[in-house]
Amino acid sequence: MSSTDVVHALLTALFTGAALYAVRHVIARGRPAPRDHVDHLLHAAMALAMAAMPWGPPLSRTPQTVLFAAGAVWFTLTPARRPGESRATAAARRLPSALGMAAMVWMLHAPHGTQHAAALAAPRPAALVTPVLALCLLVCALRALTRDMPSLRATARPAAVLPLPYGHFWDGSMALGTAVMLVMPHH
C-alpha cells in the first residue's frame, strides 16, 4: 500500500465520520428547521462523495456537479441571522460550506494526478482556482478547529450548552480534508 493510498484511506475514514455526524443530526434532532435539514443532508452527501472520490467516482459527474453547485448556491443564499448579528457575519458563517461545495464541483472537473502540476503551471486564471480554494479552506479549517481552544483553558462549559457537540471539529475536519483532496491526485 503506497503512502497516497494510506492518506486516501484516512480521508475516507474522516469523510465517512463526517457523513455519519451529519446524518445523526438530521435523525437525532427529530424535526429540525427545514434549512438545517437541507444543510445537514448536503453535508452528508458531500462527505460521502468525498469518501468515495479517491477510489473512483461512484456516480457520473453531471448529477454530482448539479447537486454540489446547487449546494454552493444554497449555502450562499440562505444565511440566517442570529439576534444582533450583521448580514456579513451571517454570510461568513456559511462561507466554509459554500467553499466546500464549490471545491467539490471544481474537483469533479479539474485535472488531477500527472496532469495536476501542468494545470497549475498553465498561464490561465483557472490555474489559480485550486490553490486559492485550498488556501481558503485551510483558513476555514484552522479557524473551526481552534475556535473553542480558549474555552478549553477556561472553565469548561457543560455539553448541554453547545448547540452541536463537536460541530466545529467536523466543520474544520471537512474543510481540512477537502483542502487536502484538492491538491492530491485522485481518480
Side-chain angles (χ1 to χ4, degrees):
M1 185 179 240
S2 72
S3 59
T4 302
D5 288 340
V6 171
V7 172
H8 284 161
L10 291 171
L11 288 170
T12 297
L14 170 89
F15 289 125
T16 302
L20 292 172
Y21 178 79
V23 169
R24 177 182 161 269
H25 276 283
V26 170
I27 295 169
R29 290 182 147 197
R31 305 201 91 215
R35 187 181 70 93
D36 292 340
H37 192 77
V38 172
D39 288 357
H40 288 302
L41 289 175
L42 283 170
H43 280 125
M46 180 184 163
L48 288 173
M50 292 288 288
M53 187 179 280
W55 315 110
L59 299 173
S60 69
R61 289 181 182 178
T62 303
Q64 291 183 77
T65 299
V66 170
L67 175 66
F68 298 121
V73 171
W74 169 263
F75 283 110
T76 303
L77 297 179
T78 60
R81 289 173 40 186
R82 295 175 181 159
E85 186 176 57
S86 71
R87 285 185 183 168
T89 302
R93 268 189 298 106
R94 311 274 290 167
L95 183 63
S97 297
L99 284 171
M101 295 288 164
M104 188 68 189
V105 171
W106 180 252
M107 283 187 279
L108 290 168
H109 297 283
H112 290 284
T114 58
Q115 304 159 343
H116 192 66
L120 288 177
R124 302 176 297 158
L128 294 175
V129 173
T130 298
V132 168
L133 272 174
L135 181 61
C136 289
L137 286 165
L138 182 59
V139 168
C140 292
L142 290 174
R143 184 178 186 285
L145 291 171
T146 61
R147 183 177 174 144
D148 289 331
M149 283 189 179
S151 67
L152 293 175
R153 285 179 252 141
T155 305
R157 294 180 293 186
V161 175
L162 296 173
L164 294 174
Y166 312 108
H168 296 301
F169 168 78
W170 288 112
D171 292 344
S173 296
M174 278 286 293
L176 182 60
T178 304
V180 170
M181 286 291 291
L182 272 166
V183 298
M184 282 199 67
H186 54 272
H187 298 94

